[in-house]
Amino acid sequence: MSYDRRGGGYYQGGGGGRRRHRDDYDDRRRDHQETPDDQLKAAIIKLGEVDPSEELGRLEIRIREHIPRNIPLLSEAFRISVTEQPFKIPYYATLLRQLHNKTPIGRLILEDFWRGFQGYVDQTAWREARLCIHFFAHLTVAKLISADSMLALLRSFTAVLDEFGVSNGRAKRACLCAGEGLLIAGPILKAHSSTFPDEIITAIQAYIDSTASQKWLVAPLSTLHSDSIPQENTIELLDMLVTNLKKLNESDFADTENCLPRPYAIYPPFDPSVLQPYVLPSVLVPPEAIEMDTLSPDTSGEETQVKKDEWPEFFPRLFPSEVSPDFVNPAGYVIRTAILDILDIFEVNRKECARLLLEYPKWNLPGTFKPKPGSTMAVEPAPGKDWQLESTIIETVLGAYLILPESSKKSIYYIGLITEICKLSPSTVGPAVGKSIRRLYTSLADGLDVEAARRFAEWFAVHMSNFGFQWVWKEWVPDLELTVQHPKRAFMRRAIEFEIRLAYHERIFKTLPEQMQAADAYTIPDNGPTPAFEYEDPGKFSLFPHKHHDSAQAILNLFRGRAKAEDVITHLDTLRESLESSDEPDVDSTVRSIAVQSLLHIGSRSFSHLLNAIERYLPLLRNLAGGGASSTTGVGGSAEARTDILAAAAAFWKHNRQMVAIVFDKLMQYQIVDPTDVVGWTFLNGSAIGQLSEVSPMNLSAFEWDLLRAAIDKANGRVVSARRKVVALRKEDDDTRAKAKAGSGVDTNMEVDLETKPQEEADADSPQLVAALKAYSSLTKEQRMALSKTLEGFISCLAPSSTAPHPNPQARTVVSESAWENRANWGRDEWNAWETWGWYKQFCRAYAPYLRTYVNTLETVSFGRFEGVSDPAGDTLKKIWNVATGQE
């Protein structure tokens, strides 16, 4: 038996099997046989597998002796190595320095490398361009590149900051390119031009100052009453860069030697009569691409892609400076950004990423990190360093994971990566993870952002599931004395709910101390996440049957017998008539509740059962959502019907909030309900689901936010799909017209009135495009309505009117400084209001590009009530809104 490489299967037995096996072997040898060029390229990329210092000499000789010389191949190997293994850049700079000796091969490689860099700049491949600048900076220090041309290169990136209307993401990347180039090449550039470092630092600082209000909106630790951000616990990436540049500039960049390895420093500079430094050609960073395409003159709203990196990036401090590098230590900046680059590049392979992170000390200066336990190598600790590698890695990975409003990678990547790191070195990484959990848990009471807290709970639960759900819960038992909505108790409740989703109720229940198992602890429900069928068999939930038990059983029997949707609708009409004759109140809602809960009961055995049930009875659900089984007609009745469907689904799964979200998502997917319906229902009824389900003031927790986010994402996603369809159909129409014009010879002597009508018909949009434009316009309106209703819901919660149902009396008070300073005495309403404010901030910053599209309409409708009125809640609402939409 042999493996068929092409088909992914095995050839088995029979005549000719041996010949087939031999042919496969020959094919594999032929396909995998590397040419000498391929082998040399691989050797360059794999530099340092054992000891980079020892390998440099051998690799230099191998490159020199390779015949025929292939400069493009060598340059490509360097480009791949620099942009995908940035931790090796000093050694590649050393290798290129060695290749400049006696022969021009090094200069030829550098010239070709520059052409590749120019390609990165033209494509605005920012990460690759920045890492190439790192390479050029090292070569400048090695005297292979002229200081003048390096100055001009960095200036070309600071020029981006002067562009009119430059986006935050573009400006931030340009700052990193210029600032990190200066950090590395600072000693040479400062000696060449004493004023140049100040010029770069001033340009970056000016941009940072312009983002002050945005920082307040995305800082992981901040307050509602003040823009100030506690610097001792968190720092923004560009702030960290410019702070360290200023520190290095004060010492004329002498401290740079303690930040980066410079193996090329042992080589003296070339005699100018022998080799002049390479002059980098001038470069112009291309302008920002702006989407100019308009779908039609009638479309008032354009679909806008959410850009994840448009906000300042904050990183929390979890360990003291003797454990992990301080934010204001230049070596710390180099280490943290190097780890971030590894995270970014190796997203495709988290196992390889974990291995490289734990091997990172190999590429750093000796004594930077403590040696591994049991290591036989005696390394003298470097002054002011000797940090713990594992703590530094975990702190940086968690910092990237908790970036607001959204991390650059999927959450599961960071969670899985930490798991892989723990598996590689459990004895050293485990304690770092435990300390990180405790530090983040402590920060919950100090204003940790609600979105960061939600992600923290998610990571905690998944991490515990990978290691047997072993956690010392008894440490947190004293916190059960806090009010039930305190962030620490909310975290425990949320993390345990996530753990139950990843295991089962009984197992998680047994891992908790007895105090947390109690019902009045509000930590874990008494029962598992089972359905709550209101019309269940008598005796299962109560001693007496529900009065509509028999009616529900009749509907259930129809579903079990796979009756046609039309037959079920007919039966429901009969049921409605029967209930009306018995003077039953809310007949329509009762019938919908029986139908929806019975259908969900049939689908409650598994996710596939749920999908099958919904898909089989889509006509029934559409009939119910459209006002069927109802004596009322019109738009109002339909809206009421959709709300009843959502209420019935939520009641059925009230013990399993995950299933509530899943069912709502499927109802939106099949267009039984609209995203706007889900938004409206969530603000009015969301807090009635879960352990704390009694009537309480209007507020939002992470569960309600998940429902809102799913609804808004659904509305936005539909607009994206519709827009793509319109673009494709328009292109198809344009191609058809072009072919028609090219294939038909128009007689210029033809009468004008004879050619006008065919020309108008030819220029008319196709029926498919007209229909697609109409659908796009409708979905754009739905998107605007979903955003508007969400904004209105937040305003109703946070600045409730005197006639609002169940207003939170503390919504306006928690925004003051005195209230925040007194948070130790806050009760349930205060913490509810504080969390709702947090989700409002997340809504505004996460959907800012969409909100900017409709900013005038939304402002007029929602904020007009605060004009000329002194209202602290209204002022805070508008402040957050203005920052998010770029008006402040």
Side-chain angles (χ1 to χ4, degrees):
M1 184 181 295
S2 64
Y3 183 73
D4 176 13
R5 172 181 47 77
R6 294 159 296 183
Y10 286 89
Y11 291 124
Q12 184 173 3
R18 182 173 299 174
R19 172 65 180 272
R20 192 178 295 115
H21 176 88
R22 179 177 168 184
D23 289 346
D24 286 347
Y25 176 72
D26 291 341
D27 286 345
R28 284 196 296 271
R29 287 192 61 189
R30 188 161 47 249
D31 290 350
H32 288 86
Q33 187 173 5
E34 290 184 329
T35 65
D37 279 356
D38 293 335
Q39 292 173 354
L40 179 60
K41 180 179 176 181
I44 294 172
I45 294 172
K46 293 179 180 178
L47 169 67
E49 293 283 319
V50 180
D51 187 331
S53 299
E54 291 184 3
E55 295 174 28
L56 281 171
R58 295 196 297 269
L59 186 55
E60 176 202 353
I61 295 171
R62 186 171 175 180
I63 293 172
R64 290 185 184 279
E65 294 179 349
H66 184 75
I67 303 295
R69 186 172 293 164
N70 189 337
I71 297 300
L73 176 101
L74 295 173
S75 174
E76 182 185 11
F78 271 84
R79 277 198 302 272
I80 292 173
S81 302
V82 165
T83 57
E84 296 186 11
Q85 302 175 108
F87 44 88
K88 296 184 182 180
I89 286 177
Y91 294 93
Y92 286 112
T94 305
L95 177 60
L96 197 64
R97 168 62 181 80
Q98 292 175 331
L99 291 171
H100 274 71
N101 291 331
K102 300 180 182 178
T103 62
I105 185 171
R107 175 60 58 87
L108 295 174
I109 293 173
L110 180 54
E111 291 173 351
D112 199 79
F113 187 98
W114 169 265
R115 286 189 282 274
F117 166 71
Q118 182 68 62
Y120 292 141
V121 174
D122 292 341
Q123 299 162 17
T124 58
W126 287 102
R127 185 188 72 202
E128 288 79 3
R130 176 172 56 83
L131 296 177
C132 287
I133 289 173
H134 286 199
F135 186 54
F136 295 145
H138 279 285
L139 294 178
T140 303
V141 178
K143 304 296 180 66
L144 294 180
I145 288 178
S146 74
D148 263 336
S149 64
M150 191 65 193
L151 292 176
L153 176 62
L154 299 185
R155 282 194 179 107
S156 67
F157 283 91
T158 55
V160 170
L161 305 178
D162 297 327
E163 295 174 355
F164 177 75
V166 61
S167 68
N168 293 333
R170 178 178 170 86
K172 178 172 63 179
R173 294 187 182 101
C175 287
L176 291 174
C177 287
E180 292 181 3
L182 174 61
L183 189 150
I184 297 169
I188 300 299
L189 301 182
K190 175 89 177 197
H192 184 77
S193 171
S194 60
T195 60
F196 178 74
D198 291 318
E199 175 188 331
I200 297 292
I201 292 170
T202 301
I204 298 175
Q205 185 65 61
Y207 169 71
I208 291 173
D209 293 341
S210 71
T211 64
S213 58
Q214 296 171 1
K215 288 186 200 173
W216 167 74
L217 197 58
V218 294
L221 286 165
S222 63
T223 57
L224 292 167
H225 64 269
S226 171
D227 293 350
S228 63
I229 300 166
Q231 295 293 327
E232 65 273 11
N233 295 322
T234 184
I235 195 169
E236 199 272 328
L237 181 62
L238 291 184
D239 277 334
M240 183 165 38
L241 170 63
V242 81
T243 299
N244 285 295
L245 285 176
K246 289 177 180 177
K247 188 173 184 179
L248 289 170
N249 193 31
E250 291 173 357
S251 65
D252 293 335
F253 290 87
D255 291 342
T256 307
E257 296 180 356
N258 300 321
C259 302
L260 293 157
R262 288 181 172 166
Y264 46 78
I266 62 174
Y267 299 99
F270 286 102
D271 187 330
S273 62
V274 176
L275 181 69
Q276 288 286 337
Y278 178 62
V279 178
L280 298 172
S282 61
V283 63
L284 177 65
V285 182
E288 196 161 19
I290 301 176
E291 180 63 49
M292 300 299 293
D293 177 49
T294 54
L295 300 187
S296 77
D298 300 327
T299 51
S300 57
E302 288 294 328
E303 177 270 322
T304 308
Q305 291 287 353
V306 173
K307 296 180 180 179
K308 298 179 182 178
D309 55 350
E310 285 293 323
W311 296 93
E313 297 181 11
F314 277 88
F315 293 86
R317 194 87 171 96
L318 301 179
F319 299 102
S321 55
E322 62 269 15
V323 176
S324 65
D326 193 8
F327 285 143
V328 294
N329 186 320
Y333 178 85
V334 170
I335 290 169
R336 290 176 187 279
T337 52
I339 292 175
L340 290 173
D341 283 334
I342 294 173
L343 293 180
D344 191 25
I345 294 167
F346 289 91
E347 179 194 8
V348 295
N349 189 340
R350 68 177 186 275
K351 292 181 182 290
E352 182 69 4
C353 183
R355 182 185 69 82
L356 290 171
L357 288 173
L358 290 177
E359 291 180 0
Y360 177 65
K362 170 183 178 180
W363 306 101
N364 221 298
L365 292 170
T368 299
F369 294 103
K370 295 181 183 295
K372 293 181 180 179
S375 175
T376 58
M377 295 180 61
V379 179
E380 186 72 21
K385 296 184 179 181
D386 198 32
W387 295 303
Q388 293 178 6
L389 172 66
E390 296 80 7
S391 296
T392 303
I393 292 173
I394 296 300
E395 185 177 55
T396 307
V397 174
L398 286 175
Y401 171 58
L402 296 176
I403 283 175
L404 299 170
E406 188 176 359
S407 57
S408 62
K409 310 295 180 188
K410 296 286 187 183
S411 293
I412 195 62
Y413 168 61
Y414 300 103
I415 294 171
L417 176 61
I418 293 176
T419 298
E420 295 299 333
I421 298 171
C422 287
K423 289 179 179 178
L424 288 177
S425 184
S427 61
T428 58
V429 180
V433 170
K435 292 174 183 176
S436 299
I437 291 172
R438 293 176 176 91
R439 180 68 185 87
L440 286 172
Y441 179 77
T442 300
S443 68
L444 289 168
D446 298 327
L448 182 66
D449 188 89
V450 292
E451 170 63 13
R454 184 195 66 81
R455 284 189 230 163
F456 172 35
E458 187 178 80
W459 165 59
F460 176 87
V462 177
H463 191 79
M464 292 301 112
S465 74
N466 289 320
F467 297 96
F469 296 100
Q470 299 176 25
W471 180 250
V472 191
W473 287 100
K474 64 181 181 181
E475 292 181 3
W476 297 343
V477 166
D479 292 331
L480 295 178
E481 298 298 322
L482 299 169
T483 185
V484 71
Q485 283 291 3
H486 190 280
K488 288 185 176 181
R489 294 193 64 182
F491 168 81
M492 286 188 266
R493 209 159 36 244
R494 194 173 302 136
I496 290 171
E497 180 181 353
F498 290 159
E499 285 190 351
I500 293 172
R501 295 181 187 181
L502 296 166
Y504 52 92
H505 180 271
E506 185 180 358
R507 179 174 184 191
I508 303 306
F509 191 86
K510 290 179 179 178
T511 65
L512 302 176
E514 187 176 341
Q515 297 93 322
M516 289 187 176
Q517 294 175 352
D520 58 359
Y522 292 105
T523 303
I524 186 171
D526 293 333
N527 302 308
T530 55
F533 187 39
E534 188 177 345
Y535 313 100
E536 186 56 87
D537 291 338
K540 189 159 187 178
F541 291 111
S542 65
L543 297 176
F544 304 100
H546 192 283
K547 62 179 179 178
H548 298 307
H549 166 69
D550 293 338
S551 301
Q553 285 299 314
I555 302 296
L556 275 175
N557 290 335
L558 289 174
F559 287 144
R560 287 169 179 153
R562 300 189 176 185
K564 292 182 179 179
E566 295 80 4
D567 295 338
V568 179
I569 293 172
T570 301
H571 186 90
L572 290 175
D573 288 337
T574 304
L575 174 60
R576 179 175 60 82
E577 294 173 359
S578 173
L579 293 176
E580 285 177 342
S581 64
S582 62
D583 295 328
E584 174 75 22
D586 298 325
V587 172
D588 300 332
S589 296
T590 300
V591 171
R592 293 179 194 121
S593 176
I594 293 173
V596 172
Q597 289 206 30
S598 298
L599 183 61
L600 293 177
H601 186 65
I602 293 296
S604 63
R605 292 178 59 187
S606 69
F607 187 63
S608 58
H609 281 79
L610 172 65
L611 290 182
N612 288 336
I614 291 176
E615 289 173 359
R616 176 181 288 275
Y617 289 102
L618 277 176
L620 167 64
L621 290 170
R622 291 190 177 118
N623 178 273
L624 294 173
S630 173
S631 56
T632 27
T633 58
V635 176
S638 296
E640 179 187 350
R642 294 193 296 271
T643 300
D644 286 343
I645 290 173
L646 293 172
F652 182 83
W653 284 113
K654 64 182 180 181
H655 300 311
N656 189 336
R657 301 200 295 186
Q658 182 185 24
M659 284 304 302
V660 173
I662 289 173
V663 173
F664 280 17
D665 179 74
K666 292 305 168 187
L667 292 174
M668 287 189 290
Q669 178 183 332
Y670 291 112
Q671 299 185 3
I672 306 303
V673 299
D674 296 331
T676 309
D677 298 320
V678 174
V679 171
W681 183 92
T682 300
F683 277 106
L684 291 176
N685 306 285
S687 59
I689 305 298
Q691 282 179 274
L692 307 177
S693 56
E694 62 268 22
V695 176
S696 61
M698 294 174 65
N699 67 86
L700 259 70
S701 68
F703 165 66
E704 289 83 53
W705 169 249
D706 286 341
L707 296 182
L708 289 179
R709 182 178 58 177
I712 298 171
D713 288 346
K714 187 71 70 176
N716 293 339
R718 287 176 179 172
V719 172
V720 171
S721 298
R723 186 180 191 280
R724 288 174 181 163
K725 185 175 182 179
V726 169
V727 170
L729 288 172
R730 172 152 287 170
K731 184 177 184 302
E732 186 179 316
D733 261 21
D734 292 342
D735 291 344
T736 302
R737 290 192 191 102
K739 289 178 182 178
K741 290 180 180 179
S744 62
V746 179
D747 187 355
T748 56
N749 295 322
M750 185 179 296
E751 293 291 335
V752 175
D753 58 344
L754 294 178
E755 68 179 0
T756 301
K757 185 175 180 180
Q759 185 63 37
E760 290 176 351
E761 291 178 354
D763 290 340
D765 291 334
S766 67
Q768 295 88 346
L769 178 56
V770 172
L773 283 169
K774 184 177 180 181
Y776 176 78
S777 178
S778 174
L779 291 172
T780 301
K781 181 179 179 181
E782 179 185 276
Q783 178 193 47
R784 184 172 64 250
M785 288 297 297
L787 293 170
S788 176
K789 198 153 192 174
T790 304
L791 179 60
E792 190 63 30
F794 274 115
I795 291 176
S796 298
C797 285
L798 300 173
S801 64
S802 57
T803 59
H806 309 299
N808 189 331
Q810 305 300 332
R812 286 180 165 87
T813 62
V814 296
V815 300
S816 68
E817 181 178 3
S818 58
W820 177 249
E821 295 301 329
N822 189 44
R823 64 187 180 277
N825 298 316
W826 277 6
R828 175 172 177 163
D829 289 346
E830 287 88 349
W831 283 117
N832 271 337
W834 180 84
E835 184 172 8
T836 306
W837 277 106
W839 292 122
Y840 173 66
K841 288 176 67 175
Q842 177 64 7
F843 164 68
C844 289
R845 63 197 179 199
Y847 296 103
Y850 297 107
L851 297 175
R852 291 188 197 111
T853 304
Y854 309 112
V855 62
N856 293 329
T857 303
L858 296 177
E859 273 188 2
T860 303
V861 172
S862 299
F863 292 105
R865 72 194 71 175
F866 299 117
E867 292 297 329
V869 177
S870 177
D871 186 340
D875 294 341
T876 307
L877 284 164
K878 288 191 289 185
K879 177 183 177 182
I880 294 171
W881 172 265
N882 290 337
V883 172
T885 54
Q887 301 178 77
E888 184 174 316

